[in-house]
Amino acid sequence: MFEETMLPIMEFFADGKEHTLSEAYESVALKLGVSEEERRLKVPSGEQRVFNNRVQWAVTYLKQARLIRRVKRAV
C-alpha cells in the first residue's frame, strides 16, 4: 500500500535539496527492500508500474498535507 512509502519518502526529502521522482523511487525501493522483479510489476492496464504508482500516490498526499512541495515538474 502507498502508506508504507510515506515515511521513507519524507526521510528522503528531509535534506531540503531538490530531488527527482526517479530518485525517490530508487531511494524508497532500497529502504523498503523492494526487488527489481517487484518494481517491474505493472498495474492491470499495463501503463504504469505498481511500485511507482504507490510512490506517486504517497507523494500526492504528502503534498496535499503540505509536508513536501513540488518545485517543478517531477522535482
Side-chain angles (χ1 to χ4, degrees):
M1 294 259 223
F2 72 88
E3 292 93 346
E4 68 187 12
T5 67
M6 288 180 153
L7 181 58
I9 290 168
M10 289 190 296
E11 291 171 344
F12 175 68
F13 287 119
D15 66 4
K17 297 178 183 175
E18 292 184 5
H19 297 284
T20 65
L21 200 48
S22 295
E23 291 170 337
Y25 296 148
E26 187 64 29
S27 174
V28 173
L30 290 172
K31 186 145 205 148
L32 295 177
V34 179
S35 70
E36 284 298 320
E37 184 177 332
E38 290 173 306
R39 292 179 67 185
R40 284 193 295 268
L41 293 174
K42 296 207 174 192
V43 296
S45 68
E47 294 183 23
Q48 187 177 32
R49 293 181 177 165
V50 172
F51 178 76
N52 292 7
N53 179 272
R54 289 181 180 160
V55 170
Q56 288 173 3
W57 275 112
V59 166
T60 296
Y61 289 123
L62 290 170
K63 284 189 298 190
Q64 289 176 347
R66 297 183 183 196
L67 296 171
I68 61 174
R69 64 185 174 96
R70 175 189 251 177
V71 293
K72 53 188 166 190
R73 183 175 167 84
V75 176

